[in-house]
Amino acid sequence: MKRIRGQMSESMLLGALLAVVGGFLDVYTYLCRGGVFANAQTGNIVLFGLYLAEREWLTALRYLPPILAFAAGVVAAEELRRRYQNRQSIHWRQVVVLVQATLLCALAFAPQSLNTAVNVVISFVCALQVEAFRKLRGSAFATTMCTGNLRSGTEQLVIWRREGDAKAGRKAARYYAIILFFIGGAVLGGALTDAFDEKAVFAACALLLVIFGMMFIEEEEQKERP
């Protein structure tokens, strides 16, 4: 079988590690930073609408900062792509990962009184990750939430069972594997947050630095069968 060179940013290994980071951060913010999920914004948008309907204006406004921070993270990722995409010495996605690691390390020193600000920053960090890493072996996927991966994986599973399409079967397996790694990150986040409280986020920083180093490697992958 012919072998081709692929981007490490779309590799299964790197995607798995990013999913671990995503699961870790969700549990970290829930257990240690005020009982909220800072990764996906659907919950915040629903609660924002709920409290608007109940005319609890000030409570509703609490949910706007992380939503806006997530949007700002998408804008920032695109700006980093524009500025660094033609650089030979470093890839723009590596810059994204370094920004993530730097911001998360700073959060380890933030007291509980700053939990709202911490969750805003983590929403920003997660948006950077979602925007920069959107493909796994050429297929769209996410590393900070599971709903889309569950939908796509199940769709490919149905195609595999109905049509016997081996390629669809491999795609389904990859999507479900990413979900399992996300769960593993949540387990790790729970254990380390219980043990180290705010400082547990250093583990996510360490994983991001590993990812940064991996991206200097040009992955060699097998070409997919048609």
Side-chain angles (χ1 to χ4, degrees):
M1 181 182 295
K2 181 181 178 182
R3 302 184 71 85
I4 59 173
R5 292 286 180 180
Q7 290 187 2
M8 179 57 74
S9 62
E10 294 188 19
S11 72
M12 184 65 203
L13 177 57
L14 193 138
L17 291 178
L18 286 169
V20 171
V21 172
F24 185 103
L25 291 176
D26 245 355
V27 169
Y28 174 77
T29 57
Y30 185 81
L31 292 181
C32 186
R33 296 298 187 176
V36 300
F37 296 111
N39 274 354
Q41 297 306 309
T42 303
N44 289 330
I45 292 171
V46 168
L47 291 171
F48 177 66
L50 172 65
Y51 286 112
L52 284 180
E54 295 179 351
R55 299 183 181 181
E56 296 186 28
W57 315 118
L58 292 179
T59 302
L61 287 175
R62 283 171 32 195
Y63 295 94
L64 265 183
I67 295 170
L68 296 176
F70 192 92
V74 173
V75 173
E78 285 302 305
E79 181 62 19
L80 289 171
R81 181 183 65 81
R82 185 185 68 81
R83 291 189 175 212
Y84 289 92
Q85 65 180 347
N86 295 321
R87 299 285 182 91
Q88 298 299 317
S89 58
I90 190 169
H91 195 279
W92 72 273
R93 290 188 179 91
Q94 287 175 297
V95 178
V96 166
V97 171
L98 279 181
V99 171
Q100 285 184 270
T102 301
L103 291 175
L104 290 178
C105 285
L107 296 183
F109 301 99
Q112 289 291 307
S113 59
L114 294 178
N115 279 352
T116 298
V118 168
N119 289 327
V120 165
V121 174
I122 291 180
S123 292
F124 178 83
V125 165
C126 290
L128 289 176
Q129 182 168 311
V130 166
E131 184 66 12
F133 299 93
R134 296 188 293 179
K135 288 187 177 181
L136 178 68
R137 293 281 195 244
S139 300
F141 87 121
T143 58
T144 63
M145 58 197 81
C146 291
T147 305
N149 295 333
L150 181 60
R151 185 207 65 80
S152 297
T154 304
E155 177 186 59
Q156 294 300 316
L157 182 64
V158 170
I159 293 172
W160 172 68
R161 289 294 303 273
R162 185 178 59 211
E163 302 177 8
D165 187 336
K167 186 175 180 179
R170 290 192 293 272
K171 285 184 178 181
R174 287 196 288 265
Y175 278 118
Y176 288 127
I178 291 297
I179 293 172
L180 290 176
F181 278 104
F182 187 93
I183 294 170
V187 172
L188 180 65
L192 293 182
T193 301
D194 283 342
F196 301 105
D197 298 321
E198 295 89 349
K199 301 298 187 295
V201 77
F202 280 130
C205 299
L207 281 174
L208 288 168
L209 291 176
V210 170
I211 290 167
F212 173 79
M214 287 172 57
M215 291 179 68
F216 284 105
I217 303 170
E218 185 179 29
E219 186 201 20
E220 184 175 299
E221 61 181 75
Q222 288 190 341
K223 187 177 181 180
E224 291 274 13
R225 294 185 182 93

